[in-house]
């Protein structure tokens, strides 16, 4: 799949039924921000507030992400923010490997259109996809890797920082 038109891509994505998560979602959380951003953030999956609003990182973890961005002089409107899966997993469980696989073509298409210089993985689930399946967040957070020519690193997920 490679759609060249954002509107077409978003429309198709919003009616996706490739995995079971479509049955329990309220909204597809497509992603948001600058479609020409050099910096892209990828989280795990929508939580309750994201499912309600259709926007990524708008709950408590999102507020922390905003503060983290502000601390380096960035606003979310200047980066692009998306998730490994676009629909909320029930009870906020980790998205299953098959859900991540089924969803990935949407994110992949977004990455091709944005062509960011840097992808920051928020947490282990995204790092497993962009860096390596056995990524160890405690040992390897903050280290640089490469994903098809795009510099990438993982940092702790803001929700994990709030929890621990
Ligand atoms: N956690 C995530 O991984 N993504 C969101 O969009 C919100 C919380």
């Amino acid at each position: 799949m490679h759609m060249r038109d954002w509107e077409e891509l978003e429309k198709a994505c919003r009616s996706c039924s490739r995995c079971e998560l479509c049955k329990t979602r309220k909204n597809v959380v497509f992603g948001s921000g600058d479609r020409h951003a050099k910096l892209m953030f990828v989280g795990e999956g929508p939580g309750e507030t994201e499912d309600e609003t259709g926007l990524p990182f708008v709950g408590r973890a999102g507020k922390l992400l905003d503060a983290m961005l502000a601390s380096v002089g960035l606003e979310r409107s200047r980066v692009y923010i998306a998730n490994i899966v676009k629909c909320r997993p029930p009870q906020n469980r980790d998205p299953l490997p098959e859900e991540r696989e089924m969803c990935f073509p949407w994110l992949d298409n977004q990455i091709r259109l944005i062509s960011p210089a840097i992808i920051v993985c928020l947490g282990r689930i995204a790092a497993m996809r962009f860096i390596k399946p056995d990524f160890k967040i405690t040992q390897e957070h903050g280290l640089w890797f490469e994903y098809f020519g795009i510099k990438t690193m993982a940092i702790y997920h803001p929700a994990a920082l709030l929890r621990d």
Side-chain angles (χ1 to χ4, degrees):
M1 174 172 75
H2 183 50
M3 298 191 193
R4 292 170 187 284
D5 180 75
W6 275 101
E7 311 318 314
E8 193 191 339
L9 178 68
E10 184 164 351
K11 187 162 175 253
C13 183
R14 289 200 180 280
S15 62
C16 181
S17 57
R18 294 177 56 120
C19 84
E20 296 281 299
L21 296 180
C22 70
K23 295 183 179 162
T24 47
R25 75 174 176 230
K26 289 185 179 143
N27 284 291
V28 170
V29 178
F30 179 67
S32 76
D34 181 357
R35 293 172 175 178
H36 302 286
K38 289 280 163 273
L39 179 57
M40 185 166 176
F41 290 85
V42 180
E44 181 177 318
E48 186 177 14
T49 323
E50 291 77 21
D51 184 45
E52 297 280 351
T53 58
L55 294 168
F57 283 97
V58 288
R60 247 162 57 82
K63 298 283 170 278
L64 179 55
L65 179 60
D66 285 337
M68 289 159 74
L69 288 171
S71 76
V72 291
L74 280 171
E75 289 178 24
R76 68 161 60 208
S77 61
R78 298 193 43 212
V79 303
Y80 197 88
I81 305 174
N83 282 301
I84 287 288
V85 295
K86 298 198 182 295
C87 298
R88 183 190 183 199
Q91 283 86 48
N92 298 343
R93 62 159 170 76
D94 285 356
L96 302 173
E98 60 263 35
E99 292 162 351
R100 298 179 223 165
E101 277 316 298
M102 295 310 270
C103 201
F104 195 69
W106 299 118
L107 182 58
D108 180 60
N109 203 325
Q110 287 169 300
I111 293 168
R112 286 162 192 257
L113 290 175
I114 296 165
S115 187
I118 294 172
I119 294 175
V120 175
C121 301
L122 298 171
R124 187 180 61 94
I125 299 283
M128 286 170 71
R129 179 69 218 204
F130 291 106
I131 301 174
K132 52 185 174 177
D134 60 347
F135 188 83
K136 297 278 179 294
I137 193 86
T138 47
Q139 291 162 26
E140 297 174 296
H141 69 96
L143 302 181
W144 286 107
F145 297 86
E146 211 170 280
Y147 177 77
F148 294 104
I150 305 169
K151 288 187 179 22
T152 180
M153 74 153 68
I155 60 175
Y156 283 108
H157 193 290
L161 295 174
L162 289 171
R163 201 165 48 232
D164 307 325

